[in-house]
């Protein structure tokens, strides 16, 4: 009997919050750029909380005020860090207004410190919501910073993330628990019917000009596409058609001639299209965002 | 009696140099950009001195040869790092000429390793000079680097900073003590008289195109401005007027319509002006530097 | 007798692979840029392998698909890190094709994880090849990543580098030993005859627009050039002459008037040419790569 209790105790310990213990890693994202001292000051504040923290960057080149892209970059990157990692995302056009400052704990054990303005749209959907707490700024705010109204990123978000990541505070000490929901940005989800797959272009692979969709590999598999198959790809901005071609579906760019349009599955396992060693986005004036739609068929 | 001695001993310990003991953190700034290996080589040299150091960046996008901006970025960022942090700033148009290579210890306990060419103008003024030492390059120079004449950043500054930060050398071992003064760049300080406040535009908030002045919140408070008040802002390049408008003074951008010009107090607690969710600098062709003046009145 | 054995044992220990033991430092280079989450995801994977690793960047602004520049940046930077450092370089236009994924151990004790597509041209030549192993991707591949065909940088290179740097695997466990040779990019080496020195322009000092050659200081010394001497510099793109002037050879830029063309020895101890406080590359439309030649004479 005692053994059964012990077994249950172990189960409870393993599945409780302690399974999501912070690991001392903090990852920063923002739309601040790296040309001034803003990002560095956030890291200085974190070092002031605990010099044992390990600080990394996601990106600071989120286009100014582009909450959608902040949401997408988190979605793309968070899962590759170990559980217990604390992320800070500061893309905050409504700074000082009534949006909540929150910390989300995902079902995968990642913490995200951010204004709840849509930034959490995709991680909440894909990684799940374990718990959300509102930051109590009376407690979790850099000392002597209350004369300044505009730099929440440094004085509240970086400071709170560092305190959480360094076990200076427990998750419960962030502030009061909120309902398990976040502000959602509207966007077209991927759907498949009658051999036609529809989706959006959430983001470009900027460095190369490749176009990434939100259509998962599984829907493409259902179309029966195989490496070497031809696939028809149509792209619309709102309702205006901008691209309509049959292109080769490849496993790797090496399978196609340089300069050819090719379709492929990207590193996030989504359907994508590129000019082999060229720039698809520039060539066809195709960009990203909720107003861009893609239609894929055999 | 013995207790009094103990008390005095503790006082001496607390107020002596040991209160400014290096903390193992080194922060790098330069005008090198990040497209080649120069910044990385500086960090490699630091790791070669001691792999226990913690290395961060301030920015490496200081415009080439722009000593004023290097001075401003240090001013903006240094105070947010814990005392004992060692900064390296390499913006050095006169490399190889007679400017001194120095380490400044501020009254706040921060160390700054740099050519004394004006880079220290603002930190010396705002944080105070505790002590300055000239780098003895015969000792504090990467071994086998003396055939090269041009990369002081790597061979002298990064190397000396790493040795200092890692306690490989004491501050006294940097080199001989210099008088407590630094090379000063001339600029217009903020002044207030008869309900009119004057200052300069030391820097832009580049990512957003906001214009930051050097006029402190306290001078604005003396004007009797409150959130919602209108304030007249004039901007001149040398003596040419380029902007003259009455705008709303806000606590947070959320209080004003998108597209409006707004005045506010920035994260450094200085008077600033912006287009809400737009780019003031581009819209009005207003830039920064000692030749830009701002005049604020009710 | 026993002493001789001990002496031999010590010699063997000092000269064996253990002299090149990994030091826990990983340095990342790529052509990914920093605008999305790709670089950050590589670091997340490394932290998942071992949170004790120290992660740095070389550059992520290698122009897309420019293997030559990736090779040059490694050559420029690797020697400044302590031996035992593991580098990851991902510039991989042929991803998924038959190029080998390898780890090179140089004679200087640096490890480089990369596709063997020419990226190793210059480090192999200058630092020497101690041993090369092909990555066994059946073992050295992030778990659950085999559905994705395109992100070797994250799933294979960063993962293998982190395992190697953290002693999770020994060098031998990377995979099978390959012959001591790498894929070489063709380029014109520096040569000197009859008082005329020829070479190429492997790279620009981008931030300043200075032109760097591959002509070493020793060949310039043979010409008998001294600070203050005039030197004739000719530059050709393929066989077309684009520049032909006599300029001053200086130790430091401070010796010449602002705006003058000057020749100097750069931080890599190679012959270079610049406009003092200006941009030589922009002014004369001179760029870099194997098709650019420079001829130097008195």
């Amino acid at each position: 009997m005692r053994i059964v209790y012990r077994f249950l105790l172990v189960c409870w310990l393993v599945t409780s919050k302690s399974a999501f213990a912070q690991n001392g890693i903090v990852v920063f994202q923002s739309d601040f750029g790296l040309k001034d001292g803003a990002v560095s000051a956030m890291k200085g504040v974190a070092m002031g909380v605990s010099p044992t923290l390990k600080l990394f960057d996601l990106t600071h080149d989120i286009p100014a005020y582009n909450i959608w892209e902040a949401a997408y970059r988190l979605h793309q990157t968070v899962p590759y860090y170990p559980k217990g990692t604390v992320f800070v995302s500061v893309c905050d056009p409504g700074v000082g207004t009534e949006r909540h400052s929150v910390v989300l704990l995902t079902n995968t054990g990642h913490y995200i410190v951010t204004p709840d303005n849509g930034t959490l749209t995709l991680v909440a959907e894909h990684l799940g919501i374990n718990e959300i707490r509102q930051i109590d700024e009376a407690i979790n705010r850099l000392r002597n910073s209350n004369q300044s109204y505009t730099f929440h990123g440094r004085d509240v978000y970086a400071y709170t993330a560092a305190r959480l990541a360094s076990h200076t505070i427990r998750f419960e000490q962030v502030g009061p628990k909120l309902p398990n929901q976040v502000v959602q940005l509207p966007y077209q989800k991927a759907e498949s019917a009658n051999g036609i797959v529809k989706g959006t272009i959430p983001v470009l692979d900027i460095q190369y000009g490749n176009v990434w969709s939100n259509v998962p590999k599984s829907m493409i598999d259902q179309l029966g596409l195989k490496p070497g198959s031809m696939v028809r790809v149509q792209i619309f901005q709102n309702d205006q058609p901008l691209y309509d071609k049959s292109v080769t579906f490849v496993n790797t760019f090496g399978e196609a001639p340089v300069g050819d349009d090719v379709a492929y599955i990207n590193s996030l396992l989504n359907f994508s299209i590129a000019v082999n060693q060229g720039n698809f986005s520039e060539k066809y004036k195709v960009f990203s965002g909720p107003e861009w739609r893609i239609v894929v068929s055999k």
Side-chain angles (χ1 to χ4, degrees), chain A residues 39-80:
Chain A
V39 169
S40 193
M42 291 200 294
K43 293 181 181 172
V45 165
M47 280 294 103
V49 170
S50 171
T52 65
L53 292 172
K54 291 165 170 291
L55 309 184
F56 296 98
D57 298 300
L58 205 164
T59 181
H60 297 285
D61 287 335
I62 299 291
Y65 311 125
N66 190 332
I67 295 170
W68 171 262
E69 190 157 323
Y72 194 81
R73 295 307 172 200
L74 284 175
H75 164 53
Q76 180 188 31
T77 311
V78 166
Y80 289 97

Side-chain angles (χ1 to χ4, degrees), chain A residues 177-217:
Chain A
K177 194 168 171 338
L178 294 175
N180 272 11
Q181 61 191 43
V182 299
V183 172
Q184 290 277 348
L185 298 175
Y187 76 102
Q188 174 64 51
K189 300 189 181 184
E191 58 184 35
S192 173
N194 305 320
I196 296 175
V197 176
K198 295 179 181 175
T200 58
I201 303 175
V203 81
L204 300 177
D205 185 5
I206 301 174
Q207 185 80 345
Y208 304 99
N210 300 344
V211 165
W212 288 6
S213 82
N214 66 339
V215 172
K217 182 176 182 292

Side-chain angles (χ1 to χ4, degrees), chain A residues 191-198 219 222-224 232 234 295-298:
Chain A
E191 58 184 35
S192 173
N194 305 320
I196 296 175
V197 176
K198 295 179 181 175
M219 284 189 189
Q222 286 165 19
L223 285 183
R232 182 181 175 194
Q234 297 165 273
V295 178
V296 183
S297 55
K298 264 188 115 166

Side-chain angles (χ1 to χ4, degrees), chain A residues 81-219:
Chain A
Y81 277 83
K83 66 181 179 182
T85 298
V86 177
F87 294 80
V88 180
S89 180
V90 192
C91 176
D92 195 10
V95 60
T97 59
E98 285 307 307
R99 88 279 179 277
H100 288 143
S101 295
V102 304
V103 183
L104 165 68
L105 172 59
T106 68
N107 284 330
T108 52
H110 298 96
Y111 297 86
I112 301 159
V113 184
T114 183
D116 181 24
N117 57 11
T119 296
L120 295 169
T121 299
L122 296 170
V123 286
E125 182 184 330
H126 288 92
L127 306 184
I129 300 175
N130 185 292
E131 197 168 304
I132 305 178
R133 291 185 174 271
Q134 182 172 2
I135 299 173
D136 180 347
E137 298 188 18
I139 298 168
N140 293 302
R141 189 186 189 100
L142 186 62
R143 269 184 303 169
N144 303 322
S145 72
N146 61 342
Q147 287 189 282
S148 168
Y149 292 88
T150 50
F151 202 175
H152 273 62
R154 181 190 66 206
D155 302 331
V156 176
Y157 299 136
Y159 182 69
T160 300
R163 279 159 55 91
L164 182 61
S166 62
H167 298 271
T168 306
I169 57 171
R170 284 173 292 108
F171 184 43
E172 292 71 21
Q173 292 172 286
V174 164
K177 194 168 171 338
L178 294 175
N180 272 11
Q181 61 191 43
V182 299
V183 172
Q184 290 277 348
L185 298 175
Y187 76 102
Q188 174 64 51
K189 300 189 181 184
E191 58 184 35
S192 173
N194 305 320
I196 296 175
V197 176
K198 295 179 181 175
T200 58
I201 303 175
V203 81
L204 300 177
D205 185 5
I206 301 174
Q207 185 80 345
Y208 304 99
N210 300 344
V211 165
W212 288 6
S213 82
N214 66 339
V215 172
K217 182 176 182 292
S218 56
M219 284 189 189

